[in-house]
């Protein structure tokens, strides 16, 4: 096989599409399922309000980001299954990731945000901003289908009352708010609201997959990849080892059944291997391969520079005269930008419970100096991350630069019932893992791994821990930049 791609998220899809278009045959390996067959209820994915086996990767109990509501734990028992959302637990942090053909695009909120150009030097200091903002960000946004909500509809629909309340309160405290692009099909959402099509974002779909309106990679890059006729995709196959062999690399993988057991072990040989297993997946593989002697010449940077994009969540309790509405779309559209003054960019997020909660809910992306490191533990045979929960304090402080001010202005308080009992901050998790194989350190300035010609990294692990906004547009744009250089130079 000329090229093998480990993982089918953003980085993997960009690599596979551009290689195939350049005439290279590609084999994509994906540990998760294909997500192309409806379940007994006629739907491929479950909703947030009724999670079932399809919702979680090999867990027997849900692990919802909002673990409690009004003081009660809301997690429930489910059958163990190769479901779509992995809540992967490390010491000090749970890292949420998508599992399946399409990677994180299957589960994410679809917010397609290009960082402001003046922040770019702090995100990827060795990449030329001109080429990113002139060529690769526009290319990524076009391919992903990023677009904005119709402002008129935003102002009038009940489904975005929660966002209008969030905007009003941000403005009253003097914060700049921005509409953020998403990859949701807004025409479809308006039809959902009109009742003429099956509901998706308006039926609580998010986190565990969207059945209709979200343009995940299943609707963008993947159909184009299939149309080339040059790409084979193997779902439910997990790569465990990559080793040099004559003419390339031997890739070992386990075939899984839907309860997560290994049913077969296979090997293929590829001239080039692209690591696109996501920040966590790629980091775990690289530290293992270096430490166990499969790829001993990888440099000492592998596993390093891992960050959580400063994710922290919180809720605020509004007054009775500021209801956020019982009907809330799951797709956020607004951000509060306090990056320069307070180091925080906060999304006004929905809390789609179906009842009036008087709560405003936010996911903040914050500036934080803390970076973790993956290492291989030979005794347990597992990769570990040295994250500490206390490292989230800088993120909490940054988020407080927005919400303390809003609370003071509005005379309101934080909710304490969403993340546990009397717990204000959702600081136990990230949705945005980044880093572990930093560009121009573990690799050259285009993702070629040092020490091994023909091995590349092409996913979020290249980015040093923060993108200042939601990451997938930057991951896609960087992958477009890198694969163009790799195809022109190496093939
Ligand atoms: P990605 O994680 O997408 O893909 C990696 C793939 O490799 C996965 O499919 C995985 O199963 C597979 N894999 C891993 N190890 C493997 C192995 N050993 N063998 C075979 N396959 C393997 N971002 C954003 O910009 N806007 C948003 O609104 C959100 N919202 C959001 C919500 C939630 C709930 C989550 C979990 C995440 C987000 N994100 C987001 C983050 C975004 O989804 C994420 O940054 C990208 O998906 C990362 O893209 P990558 O290409 O790096 O890997």
């Amino acid at each position: 096989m000329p090229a093998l791609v480990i993982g089918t998220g953003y980085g993997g899809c960009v690599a596979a599409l551009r290689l195939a278009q350049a005439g290279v045959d590609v084999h994509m390996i994906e540990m998760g399922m294909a997500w192309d067959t409806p379940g007994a209820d006629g739907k491929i994915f479950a909703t947030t309000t009724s999670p079932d086996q399809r919702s979680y990767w090999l867990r027997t109990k849900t692990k919802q980001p909002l673990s409690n509501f009004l003081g009660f734990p809301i997690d429930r028992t489910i059958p163990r299954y190769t479901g779509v959302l992995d809540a992967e637990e490390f010491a000090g942090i749970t890292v949420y990731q998508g599992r399946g053909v399409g990677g994180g695009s299957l589960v994410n909120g679809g917010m397609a945000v290009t960082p402001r150009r003046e922040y770019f030097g702090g995100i990827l200091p060795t990449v030329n901003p001109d080429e990113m903002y002139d060529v690769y960000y526009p290319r990524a946004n076009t391919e992903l289908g990023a677009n904005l909500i119709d402002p008129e509809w935003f102002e009038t629909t009940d489904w975005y009352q929660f966002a209008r309340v969030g905007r009003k309160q941000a403005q009253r405290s003097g914060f700049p708010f921005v509409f953020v692009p998403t990859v949701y099909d807004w025409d479809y959402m308006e039809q959902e609201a009109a009742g003429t099509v099956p509901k998706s974002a308006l039926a609580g779909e998010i986190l565990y997959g969207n059945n209709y309106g979200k343009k995940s990679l299943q609707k963008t890059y993947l159909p184009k990849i299939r149309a080339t006729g040059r790409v084979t995709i193997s779902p439910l196959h997990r790569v465990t080892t990559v080793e040099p062999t004559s003419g390339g690399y031997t890739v070992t993988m386990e075939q899984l059944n839907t309860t997560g057991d290994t049913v077969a072990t296979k090997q293929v040989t590829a001239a080039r291997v692209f690591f696109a297993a996501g920040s966590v997946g790629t980091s775990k593989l690289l530290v293992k391969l270096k430490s166990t002697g499969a790829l001993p010449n990888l440099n000492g940077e592998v596993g390093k520079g891992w960050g959580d994009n400063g994710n922290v969540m919180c809720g605020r309790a509004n007054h009775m005269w500021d209801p956020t509405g019982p009907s809330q779309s799951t797709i956020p559209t607004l951000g509060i930008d306090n990056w320069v003054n307070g180091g925080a960019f906060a999304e006004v997020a929905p809390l789609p419970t179906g009842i009036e909660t008087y709560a405003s809910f936010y996911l903040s992306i914050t500036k934080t100096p803390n970076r973790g490191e993956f290492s291989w533990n030979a005794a347990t045979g597992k990769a570990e991350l040295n994250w500490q929960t206390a490292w989230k304090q800088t993120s909490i402080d940054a988020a407080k630069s927005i919400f303390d001010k809003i609370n003071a202005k509005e005379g309101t308080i934080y909710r304490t019932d969403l993340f546990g009992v009397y717990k204000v901050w959702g600081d136990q998790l990230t949705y945005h893992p980044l880093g572990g194989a930093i560009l121009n350190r573990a690799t050259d300035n285009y993702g070629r791994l040092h020490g091994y010609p023909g091995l590349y990294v092409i996913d979020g692990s290249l980015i040093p821990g923060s993108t200042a906004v939601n990451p997938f547009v930057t991951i896609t744009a960087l992958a477009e930049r890198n694969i163009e250089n790799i195809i022109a130079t190496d093939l």
Side-chain angles (χ1 to χ4, degrees), residues 19-154:
L19 287 165
Q21 287 174 334
V24 179
D25 288 336
V26 182
H27 189 176
M28 299 181 87
I29 314 294
E30 169 56 53
M31 67 192 267
M33 305 205 318
W35 299 110
D36 55 4
T37 314
D41 59 359
K43 306 230 167 167
I44 291 176
F45 300 112
T47 64
T48 340
T49 41
S50 311
D52 60 26
Q53 61 173 13
R54 291 169 290 186
S55 304
Y56 281 89
W57 179 258
L58 303 178
R59 297 188 82 91
T60 50
K61 195 174 181 193
T62 66
K63 191 164 178 74
Q64 309 208 43
L66 289 175
S67 56
N68 294 61
F69 192 64
L70 301 173
F72 296 101
I74 55 177
D75 281 313
R76 60 167 85 174
T77 303
I78 47 168
R80 183 182 155 90
Y81 189 71
T82 46
V84 73
L85 182 66
D86 193 354
E88 191 171 0
E89 291 176 83
F90 294 99
I93 194 163
T94 300
V95 184
Y96 285 89
Q97 298 153 86
R99 295 277 174 250
V101 175
S105 81
L106 299 169
V107 298
N108 68 33
M111 297 186 75
V113 193
T114 301
R116 280 173 47 188
R117 193 176 168 138
E118 54 268 40
Y119 307 158
F120 186 78
I123 299 168
L124 284 163
T126 62
V127 174
N128 175 357
D130 291 339
E131 59 178 35
M132 289 297 281
Y133 285 82
D134 294 347
V135 181
Y136 302 109
Y137 274 119
R139 184 175 297 169
N141 279 309
T142 303
E143 293 287 358
L144 295 168
N147 66 145
L148 280 165
I149 189 170
D150 171 8
E152 236 169 87
W153 191 64
F154 174 83

Side-chain angles (χ1 to χ4, degrees), residues 6-12 29-32 85 96-100 102-105 107-111 207 237-239 276-279 281 285 431-432 459-460 470-473 475:
I6 308 169
T8 57
Y10 295 93
I29 314 294
E30 169 56 53
M31 67 192 267
L85 182 66
Y96 285 89
Q97 298 153 86
R99 295 277 174 250
S105 81
V107 298
N108 68 33
M111 297 186 75
L207 279 181
H237 283 71
R238 176 166 54 201
V239 171
S279 163
L285 274 173
Y431 304 110
H432 298 167
D459 59 16
N470 317 62
F472 74 62
V473 175
I475 293 170

Side-chain angles (χ1 to χ4, degrees), residues 340-352:
V340 172
N341 295 325
F345 175 82
E347 288 167 10
V348 180
L351 201 57

